[in-house]
Amino acid sequence: MASPFSGVLQLADLDDFIGPAQLKFAMKEQERLGFERECAQASLLLARRVKQLCSQNSKILPAFGMMLEKCSFCKKGECIKPVKVEKKPGKAAAKIRIEADGSYFQINQDGEAQKLEKAKITLNDCLACSGCITSAESVLITQQSHEELCKILTFNKTAAPNEQKLVVISVSPQSRASLAAKCKLGVLETAQKLTAFFKSLGVHYVFDTTFSRNFSLLESQREFVKRFRKQSEDKKALPMLASACPGWICYAEKTHGSFIIPYISTTKSPQQVMGSLIKGHFAEQQHLTPDRIYHVTVMPCYDKKLEASRPDFFNQEYQTRDVDCVITTGEVLKLLEQEGVSLSDVDPAALDTMFGSTAEEELTGHAGGGSGGYLEHIYKYAAKELFGIQVDTIQYKPLKNKDFQEVTLEKDGAVLLQFALAYGFRNIQNLVQKLKRGRSPYHYVEVMACPSGCLNGGGQIKLDGESSKEQLQQVERLYESLQTEVPEQNQAVQELYERWLGGAGSGKAAEALHTGTAGFKSKHKQLELVTASRPGLNLAHTLVQENPHP
């Protein structure tokens, strides 16, 4: 029987298949409502956390008795895992004995028995590095999938008008470039055809997250200048570390906690700024409450699903998320295949805009690379604002590898600004260690979890018959083919600052465009993972509900 789950959301070649019917839960019958959606999301996180737990506790390792299939990044020799697990030579694996009460004992070679503790795993334990997302996983994150979108669209067809949802899809420029490469189309043509395809399914509006990224860039610029000016009184004001990558944020929180969090920018990512725009300004335009809008984003990264699920981005008043569902680029392709549609054959449609009565017929981008251009925009703004120096072009200096580069602003031999970009966990770990030893010379670092940045995200489409390098170069060319814009010169952005937010720097702007990263550590569902002496994963989960709104 074919798997009902998305092929791009599956782990490859695990020895055990874990279906929902095999999971044992200690819970009341009424608590089973919504079980599949909640536990499936947690299940995806388990494989990632298991490997980290094993590396931290040698007594747990034999109990797991497993080796995860290498992910696509590992196979390319570009491991992005923040935790390295090495098999120690010369030791035979211990045996596991399961007692009648369900307790697990490790039996050493000398026959000595030692009771194993249960490894407790929460939804917040995931490091969100995308490394364990490969081609064949057995449990889907139902809440964050194209299937959930299809359910909403199906519901709308039969629901009463006052119960229907206004469905809005926001597409990232990285995903659009990946689809263009796959379908051998231009970027604008891809956007127009994708708009037509989504609307044929029942979607009402399709927007571009490039617009919301204007806000992220502007707020990051202002935040950096503010931090730079108060660095003498606040030792942790600098370096400012980018906050747009949820994989990096999760790693920072789980691994370095209170030490690293003060350095992280409070500016929301373009996805979450778009969430604020759609559930705030756009909802007002449509005369709807935020809960009447179902907002979906298309992203190049699986970690964006976790970002959207954070309680920070949940509206308690209306009981709705800023972003209800995140699907990856690969899942859009899966949706096309499911509908029997080739994007190349779709007739193009006019692009939507939430700002004004006329439709956009052109797309724009931002300079500075495929991860958003944070370094370049902040660098140029800071040079002008702090030192009165106009910077037109930026010269990058590669360091140990292509994913670690720096930029320096000098005047009369003195270093005024020193910025860097660090992509991939190998470079991130080096950066953090330098920071802990007080040896980091940087004022700002653009940090991204994936090697080569967002264009190479784990959710992007992998092209058949082409090397990963060739694929990435092709996507980069398409991504950079658009005319670039300067956020400060976008009239619609400036109007929204005044009309919707009450001006830059206002309390409403801070609420809509910033978040406190320390608040990311929230209470979600907790799972107890127990392992058995089987070659793969044989899991029994106990679900404990801590928060009615995960």
Side-chain angles (χ1 to χ4, degrees), residues 7 22 25 67 76 122 147 159 170 234 251 392 449 463 509 528 535:
Q22 294 172 276
F25 286 82
M67 288 298 291
K76 292 186 292 183
T122 70
E147 292 183 352
S170 301
D234 184 357
Y251 167 70
D392 296 318
L463 304 180
E528 289 183 331

Side-chain angles (χ1 to χ4, degrees), residues 221-258:
Q221 291 172 180
R222 295 176 184 130
E223 182 184 357
F224 175 78
V225 168
K226 186 176 179 180
R227 283 174 176 252
F228 190 92
R229 286 173 172 160
K230 70 172 187 176
Q231 60 180 311
S232 59
E233 57 192 75
D234 184 357
K235 299 301 180 184
K236 289 200 170 184
L238 297 177
M240 186 172 101
L241 307 176
S243 60
C245 173
W248 144 243
I249 295 300
C250 286
Y251 167 70
E253 290 175 341
K254 309 306 176 232
T255 312
H256 303 288
S258 59

Side-chain angles (χ1 to χ4, degrees), residues 283-299:
E284 292 173 4
Q285 274 192 331
Q286 300 296 314
H287 306 291
L288 295 172
T289 56
D291 57 312
R292 289 290 307 280
I293 296 177
Y294 188 77
H295 183 208
V296 182
T297 61
V298 178
M299 290 287 146

Side-chain angles (χ1 to χ4, degrees), residues 441-463:
Y442 304 116
H443 297 104
Y444 176 83
V445 185
E446 181 180 300
V447 187
M448 300 291 161
C450 288
S452 300
C454 298
L455 288 175
N456 192 38
Q460 295 284 71
I461 299 169
K462 308 306 176 188
L463 304 180

Side-chain angles (χ1 to χ4, degrees), residues 249-271:
I249 295 300
C250 286
Y251 167 70
E253 290 175 341
K254 309 306 176 232
T255 312
H256 303 288
S258 59
F259 168 78
I260 203 73
I261 287 175
Y263 295 106
I264 298 174
S265 168
T266 62
T267 302
K268 287 183 181 180
S269 70
Q271 170 177 279

Side-chain angles (χ1 to χ4, degrees), residues 139-318:
V139 181
L140 170 71
I141 303 182
T142 357
Q143 191 176 11
Q144 300 283 355
S145 72
H146 70 280
E147 292 183 352
E148 192 71 7
L149 169 61
C150 292
K151 289 179 183 178
I152 294 295
L153 295 174
T154 301
F155 169 80
N156 273 354
K157 292 176 181 178
T158 57
N162 63 338
E163 294 179 347
Q164 293 176 4
K165 300 275 190 178
L166 185 76
V167 182
V168 178
I169 293 184
S170 301
V171 182
S172 70
Q174 293 90 348
S175 294
R176 190 176 54 224
S178 182
L179 282 164
K182 172 65 178 178
C183 300
K184 295 180 171 53
L185 299 170
V187 176
L188 176 59
E189 191 179 10
T190 299
Q192 293 169 333
K193 288 175 177 288
L194 199 57
T195 297
F197 169 68
F198 281 136
K199 289 189 174 183
S200 72
L201 299 179
V203 173
H204 300 95
Y205 293 93
V206 181
F207 297 129
D208 177 10
T209 62
T210 301
F211 183 81
S212 59
R213 192 166 64 192
N214 284 302
F215 289 92
S216 294
L217 291 170
L218 289 170
E219 291 300 309
S220 295
Q221 291 172 180
R222 295 176 184 130
E223 182 184 357
F224 175 78
V225 168
K226 186 176 179 180
R227 283 174 176 252
F228 190 92
R229 286 173 172 160
K230 70 172 187 176
Q231 60 180 311
S232 59
E233 57 192 75
D234 184 357
K235 299 301 180 184
K236 289 200 170 184
L238 297 177
M240 186 172 101
L241 307 176
S243 60
C245 173
W248 144 243
I249 295 300
C250 286
Y251 167 70
E253 290 175 341
K254 309 306 176 232
T255 312
H256 303 288
S258 59
F259 168 78
I260 203 73
I261 287 175
Y263 295 106
I264 298 174
S265 168
T266 62
T267 302
K268 287 183 181 180
S269 70
Q271 170 177 279
Q272 296 310 134
V273 171
M274 198 67 174
S276 297
L277 279 167
I278 295 299
K279 295 294 180 89
H281 171 73
F282 185 67
E284 292 173 4
Q285 274 192 331
Q286 300 296 314
H287 306 291
L288 295 172
T289 56
D291 57 312
R292 289 290 307 280
I293 296 177
Y294 188 77
H295 183 208
V296 182
T297 61
V298 178
M299 290 287 146
C301 173
Y302 291 96
D303 305 336
K304 288 295 181 180
K305 296 171 183 280
L306 297 172
E307 180 182 48
S309 299
R310 289 182 180 273
D312 303 64
F313 309 130
F314 184 84
N315 186 320
Q316 292 290 345
E317 181 182 357
Y318 292 99

